[in-house]
Amino acid sequence: MSWLWAIIVGLVLGLIAKAILPGKQQIPLWLTTVFGIIGSVLGNWAATGLGVNDTKGIDWIRHLLQLIGAVVVVALGDMAWTSLRGNKRRA
């Protein structure tokens, strides 16, 4: 069940990250989900390092760090994707 939650959270975080970033990103939906999962893992790692990964109530700081991680990974991943694909634009 934890893999299902990871995929769902990755999809949601990836889509929110794409909405936050300016312009249109060229990465497909499956890659958005993968980048969202990676960003979530990085955010959890940062929250653990800061000691805010497990608090009473809703872990707002951890969720914010997950979103920041997803935004960074989606932005870098989109740049890598477009450079590997030769900057092909879809109509």
Side-chain angles (χ1 to χ4, degrees), residues 2-71:
S2 63
W3 282 103
L4 179 62
W5 276 115
I7 293 169
I8 292 169
V9 168
L11 175 64
V12 170
L13 283 175
L15 290 175
I16 292 172
K18 281 180 79 169
I20 289 173
L21 291 168
K24 179 169 173 41
Q25 290 75 40
Q26 301 298 319
I27 56 175
L29 185 61
W30 67 270
L31 201 52
T32 301
T33 304
V34 170
F35 289 158
I37 292 171
I38 294 170
S40 175
V41 169
L42 288 175
N44 283 336
W45 176 75
T48 301
L50 294 172
V52 294
N53 62 328
D54 192 23
T55 60
K56 293 181 181 179
I58 299 174
D59 298 330
W60 292 111
I61 296 173
R62 180 173 56 99
H63 296 315
L64 181 64
L65 290 170
Q66 288 176 336
L67 180 60
I68 291 169
V71 168

